[in-house]
């Protein structure tokens, strides 16, 4: 079974400074921690609950986080992404169409 086989819910949890992916019953599948300084969003740690690994949840979560950052003013709006987590860095390597969001520093 992969992530596309079951419905999931993507949310941005500002109180915890993380993005979350839950299954239909509300169980946490994966989380992506972030730090936002107003001009750059550092994606610091992606974590998938061990029993839910290898099902595509980290990719779904990262794509959702990038889309959210982009919708809230990414790159053209002045906000960039700093991929501090190895998984997020690899996700950007696999999605060169999103490279314009990366912080140039």
């Amino acid at each position: 079974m992969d992530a596309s086989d079951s419905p999931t819910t993507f949310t941005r949890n500002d109180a915890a400074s993380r993005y979350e992916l839950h299954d239909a019953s509300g169980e946490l599948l994966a989380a992506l921690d972030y730090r936002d300084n107003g001009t750059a969003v550092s994606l610091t740690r992606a974590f998938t609950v061990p029993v839910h690994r290898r099902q595509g949840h980290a990719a779904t979560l990262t794509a959702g986080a990038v889309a959210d950052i982009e919708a809230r003013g990414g790159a053209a709006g002045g906000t960039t992404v700093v991929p501090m987590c190895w998984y997020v860095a690899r996700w950007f390597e696999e999605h060169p169409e999103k490279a314009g969001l990366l912080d140039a520093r």
Side-chain angles (χ1 to χ4, degrees):
M1 179 192 281
D2 66 23
S4 63
D5 292 337
S6 61
T8 58
T9 303
F10 170 84
T11 57
R12 185 180 72 233
N13 181 340
D14 291 326
S17 296
R18 71 183 194 177
Y19 291 96
E20 300 172 344
L21 191 67
H22 296 267
D23 69 11
S25 71
E27 181 180 355
L28 180 68
L29 302 172
L32 176 56
D33 296 336
Y34 69 87
R35 296 293 175 259
D36 186 347
N37 71 8
T39 60
V41 178
S42 296
L43 298 176
T44 60
R45 183 183 76 111
F47 176 79
T48 301
V49 175
V51 298
H52 298 295
R53 290 183 179 158
R54 301 199 179 278
Q55 297 177 36
H57 298 308
T60 299
L61 183 60
T62 302
V66 169
D68 180 67
I69 293 164
E70 195 169 29
R72 293 186 302 125
T79 301
T80 58
V81 175
V82 180
M84 298 184 73
C85 167
W86 70 268
Y87 183 87
V88 175
R90 189 175 78 191
W91 186 93
F92 272 98
E93 288 173 4
E94 295 172 357
H95 295 87
E97 72 279 8
K98 298 297 183 182
L101 292 169
L102 293 172
D103 190 283
R105 288 180 254 167

